[in-house]
Amino acid sequence: MAQDAQQVMLAHSWTEDSGIDPAGYWMAEKLDGVRAYFDGKHFYSRAGNRFFAPPFFSQHLPKDQPLDGELWLGRGRFQQCISIVKNQKAERADEWKEITYLVFDAPKMDVVYEKRLEYLKSIMPLYGKDSMPSTSSSSSSSTSTNKIPPYARIVPVQKCLSKAHLIRELDHVQSHGGEGIMLRAPRSRYEFKRSRTLLKVKTFFDEEAIVVAQVKGSGKHSHRMGHIEVKTPDGRCFSVGSGFTDAQRERPPKIGSVITYKYQELSNKLTPRFPTFVGERIDIKWVDYCKTYKAPTLKAATPAKLVPLLKQTSLIFQDNDDGTNGNSSTTAFLNGDNDDNNDNSDSTDESDAESDYNPESDTPTTTPASDSPGKRSSSSTSSSSSSANRKRTHDQTLGTNAANDSGDDNDNDNKGTSSNSKQEPCRYGANCYRKNPDHLKRFSHPPKRFKA
């Protein structure tokens, strides 16, 4: 029934600091398909809208036991799946043969998950199989007459052994184009609501938003949509401009339509960073979505690195897992130190200017820069002193910038013009944007740089 479809079980997010040990949970791949509730006769979306699947598609599905699953075309083919599902033209009916109804639950069975899974295995094969799994003698007689649904399969599951096991499976799925992992609590029952017994695990976040404006592009997109303006249920407004195909830019989502976007993390103003268009959601009603919406928080969206989020304005600040800086050539390029003449005269200076942040501590720690031949002392005492000075000047610079930008410029002006004759001229000259005290002590700059 359409009413049950609007109340299907939804998941909460799992994060490493959630305090939930995934060991013992059932793992399955998170599918990027279209959620579909089968009531024994028709398929319905989460919005309660009927999907007009051709009769052959639901052949041999149970008439007396509703199913919950997703219409799935394959990894990375969400938009194509949407296109097939929403089209009702009879001449396109054969396109449904490419879709598989991947079933993951039997909502109306009032038994634990393991029993519901046994029932599903008795009526259809696992995905990737064309034959039924072996059954016990007690149930063989009841299943021998069952015919296999040609376009429906069970989503394979496996027991999670540990957090490390979960992370390995997540990496495997995402490296092959999958979206993430779903965790199901053992011996849990189906709930027609967002449940703590169902968790989703991903390395990116996604949400829905409503389109409030279409903005014409520039350059190669001057004749079509450049980006759309969207609004979340809690009133946050922002632009989404990436993830669109040329065809989608020609015919962008209409104002008032609901879209799904994904993002890496939230800024300190709770604005999604790098929002990317995923697809239009014909299966969701905005009013119903708003009723169950829970506004995100910085802690929920970026549990591991709250403070680094505030400084990650470019790849310069993005750290690797081992705590070291990101790709050095990328960092050098973003700093302007990777031009054609390969002049590295002050490439080490930017390492002094930026510090790596330890999430476990409130104190920034610096990574020693590589010495340039003939330009820096190799004395360990000098290195330690320089490191300590950098820590102090980093904090001082942050405080000065927050209090008074113009005062910071004046201070740099004094430092830059009162240096001795051993200073080398900065290769950026008057256009140099750096304000790091170590840089200003080492290189000289034309006075007009500080008057701008």
Side-chain angles (χ1 to χ4, degrees), residues 38-174:
F38 182 70
D39 69 351
K41 188 175 182 180
H42 303 299
F43 292 94
Y44 292 94
S45 72
R46 278 176 53 189
N49 298 321
R50 180 183 164 187
F51 293 133
F52 291 89
F56 66 77
F57 189 79
S58 57
Q59 189 178 13
H60 304 321
L61 286 177
K63 306 297 183 183
D64 58 348
Q65 195 61 255
L67 302 174
D68 189 6
E70 290 208 15
L71 300 171
W72 196 65
L73 196 57
R75 290 168 175 164
R77 302 183 68 185
F78 174 76
Q79 282 300 312
Q80 291 171 274
C81 187
I82 282 283
S83 176
I84 294 173
V85 167
K86 73 178 184 180
N87 196 296
Q88 300 180 27
K89 295 180 180 179
E91 60 268 23
R92 292 187 60 180
D94 281 351
E95 293 183 7
W96 278 81
K97 293 179 180 179
E98 299 181 43
I99 296 177
T100 302
Y101 183 44
L102 287 180
V103 181
F104 41 71
D105 219 324
K108 292 291 187 176
M109 293 187 71
D110 189 20
V111 293
V112 297
Y113 173 69
E114 289 78 1
K115 292 293 184 181
R116 302 197 303 272
L117 187 59
E118 282 183 20
Y119 165 74
L120 294 177
K121 289 180 178 179
S122 73
I123 62 172
M124 68 182 73
L126 293 169
Y127 179 74
K129 306 289 184 180
D130 291 325
S131 60
M132 300 291 290
S134 58
T135 59
S136 62
S137 57
S138 60
S139 60
S140 59
S141 59
S142 62
T143 59
S144 58
T145 57
N146 287 349
K147 294 183 178 180
I148 297 176
Y151 299 102
R153 293 293 183 268
I154 304 170
V155 179
V157 297
Q158 63 172 304
K159 267 290 181 72
C160 179
L161 304 178
S162 64
K163 184 187 293 186
H165 183 205
L166 170 62
I167 300 303
R168 285 198 305 271
E169 290 300 319
L170 177 65
D171 290 342
H172 174 77
V173 166
Q174 293 189 328

Side-chain angles (χ1 to χ4, degrees), residues 177-389:
E179 187 173 332
I181 297 288
M182 298 298 295
L183 292 174
R184 175 89 62 163
R187 299 192 62 79
S188 58
R189 295 181 182 264
Y190 194 97
E191 300 177 272
F192 283 90
K193 64 176 185 177
R194 192 174 296 276
S195 173
R196 293 289 178 185
T197 65
L198 183 63
L199 305 172
K200 54 186 176 182
V201 187
K202 299 181 293 184
T203 56
F204 62 87
F205 304 93
D206 60 7
E207 275 193 347
E208 278 67 48
I210 190 168
V211 179
V212 296
Q214 299 173 347
V215 181
K216 188 178 180 181
S218 59
K220 68 176 184 179
H221 298 311
S222 59
H223 61 292
R224 55 192 176 192
M225 182 272 291
H227 69 268
I228 56 175
E229 299 287 338
V230 300
K231 185 177 182 180
T232 61
D234 57 336
R236 291 172 293 133
C237 296
F238 53 91
S239 302
V240 178
S242 62
F244 295 98
T245 63
D246 288 345
Q248 289 167 342
R249 291 186 185 277
E250 296 286 353
R251 300 183 64 182
K254 296 178 180 179
I255 294 175
S257 60
V258 180
I259 69 158
T260 294
Y261 65 93
K262 63 181 180 180
Y263 61 97
Q264 292 183 359
E265 57 190 355
L266 296 176
S267 72
N268 57 333
K269 294 183 179 180
L270 296 179
T271 301
R273 297 187 64 237
F274 312 117
T276 303
F277 176 76
V278 175
E280 192 172 346
R281 298 304 299 264
I282 62 170
D283 58 331
I284 293 178
K285 284 184 179 179
W286 184 245
V287 174
D288 294 334
Y289 177 72
C290 291
K291 290 178 181 177
T292 60
Y293 181 77
K294 183 178 179 181
T297 63
L298 277 176
K299 184 176 181 180
T302 56
K305 294 185 178 182
L306 282 179
V307 177
L309 172 65
L310 306 182
K311 45 182 271 190
Q312 286 182 358
T313 55
S314 73
L315 289 175
I316 296 173
F317 297 100
Q318 293 181 2
D319 300 332
N320 293 331
D321 292 337
D322 59 1
T324 60
N325 281 338
N327 182 282
S328 57
S329 62
T330 303
T331 303
F333 175 79
L334 290 171
N335 294 341
D337 292 335
N338 196 26
D339 52 15
D340 293 337
N341 60 16
N342 200 27
D343 180 5
N344 295 320
S345 60
D346 81 40
S347 61
T348 58
D349 192 73
E350 196 64 14
S351 299
D352 294 346
E354 309 298 349
S355 59
D356 296 327
Y357 195 90
N358 178 4
E360 303 299 327
S361 168
D362 290 333
T363 306
T365 57
T366 55
T367 303
S370 302
D371 295 338
S372 298
K375 295 199 175 184
R376 293 205 179 188
S377 169
S378 60
S379 167
S380 60
T381 304
S382 173
S383 175
S384 300
S385 174
S386 175
S387 177
N389 288 337

Side-chain angles (χ1 to χ4, degrees), residues 399-415:
T400 305
N401 286 344
N404 190 333
D405 288 340
S406 61
D408 185 76
D409 286 345
N410 292 335
D411 184 52
N412 290 340
D413 188 16
N414 294 334
K415 292 179 182 178

